[in-house]
Amino acid sequence: MRIRTDDEVYRVDAVWLGPPRATMPWRARYVAWGVGVFVFLIVLTVERRIGVSLFWSVAWGIVITIVLTRLICSRISHERPLTAVTAMWVRELTAPREVSTGQGGAVSATRVRVRTERPRSRKRVKRGSRPRPADKAHKAHARHMNNRKSRTTGKPARGKEVRRVRTSKQARA
């Protein structure tokens, strides 16, 4: 048993062969005639704005119109109508693209503000406010470190001294 598809129906294009008893020597679908007229008007407008003379603008306009119309209509079929191709083209042009260029540039000090006075601390301690518990612990530790005594001599330990390194004052003494 053979199942026939409906492809034959779509192979028959809606073709206008020309006026009765004066057919055109080529086959063109109705869509191609509409696209051709639109493209021809755009091509003539562009050529006249450029400054091409009327005769050459019409002559080259026809040639350019035929080429562009054949290109456009080669993308159009019964499965992909002109409206779908146009919508796809518009979406392709307006789609967001990835930025391939870097932002910024060479570093320059031209916009660095320089002030004559030093900036003030933004952290201000209010009078009468109690320090936070973390501040209390830090201060207690600092007090302990200042009051400790050396194990060997019994004298108060020196704060930030590194052993066996002599400063210029110790070397003279």
Side-chain angles (χ1 to χ4, degrees):
M1 181 171 172
R2 187 179 239 191
I3 299 174
R4 299 188 65 172
T5 62
D6 60 350
D7 289 343
E8 295 173 6
V9 175
Y10 290 111
R11 278 194 202 123
V12 178
D13 292 328
V15 175
W16 185 65
L17 299 174
R21 293 183 297 234
T23 59
M24 303 288 185
W26 61 83
R27 289 175 44 109
R29 295 184 299 166
Y30 288 117
V31 174
W33 287 102
V35 169
V37 168
F38 182 72
V39 168
F40 183 68
L41 293 175
I42 290 175
V43 168
L44 276 184
T45 303
V46 169
E47 286 181 342
R48 293 299 293 157
R49 297 290 272 178
I50 291 173
V52 180
S53 68
L54 184 63
F55 172 75
W56 291 110
S57 67
V58 172
W60 281 109
I62 292 172
V63 172
I64 294 170
T65 300
I66 291 171
V67 170
L68 288 177
T69 303
R70 288 186 66 129
L71 179 75
I72 292 169
C73 289
S74 69
R75 310 276 191 257
I76 299 171
S77 67
H78 66 278
E79 294 176 352
R80 287 175 47 172
L82 178 64
T83 54
V85 172
T86 306
M88 180 180 63
W89 182 72
V90 168
R91 288 187 187 115
E92 190 68 33
L93 288 179
T94 59
R97 305 280 187 228
E98 182 181 340
V99 178
S100 60
T101 59
Q103 294 180 351
V107 178
S108 172
T110 56
R111 295 201 176 179
V112 176
R113 294 180 186 168
V114 179
R115 297 180 182 172
T116 55
E117 69 276 349
R118 290 179 55 185
R120 295 184 179 184
S121 173
R122 292 185 182 187
K123 182 180 173 184
R124 293 185 180 179
V125 178
K126 295 179 183 177
R127 288 189 180 186
S129 66
R130 294 176 42 191
R132 294 183 308 203
D135 292 341
K136 284 182 181 179
H138 177 71
K139 288 181 181 178
H141 178 70
R143 218 176 302 118
H144 169 71
M145 294 301 283
N146 288 338
N147 294 337
R148 69 188 172 136
K149 297 189 176 189
S150 172
R151 291 182 187 166
T152 56
T153 61
K155 296 180 183 177
R158 295 184 182 165
K160 295 182 180 177
E161 182 177 328
V162 179
R163 291 184 181 178
R164 296 190 182 135
V165 176
R166 292 185 158 198
T167 60
S168 59
K169 289 182 182 179
Q170 292 172 341
R172 283 187 229 145

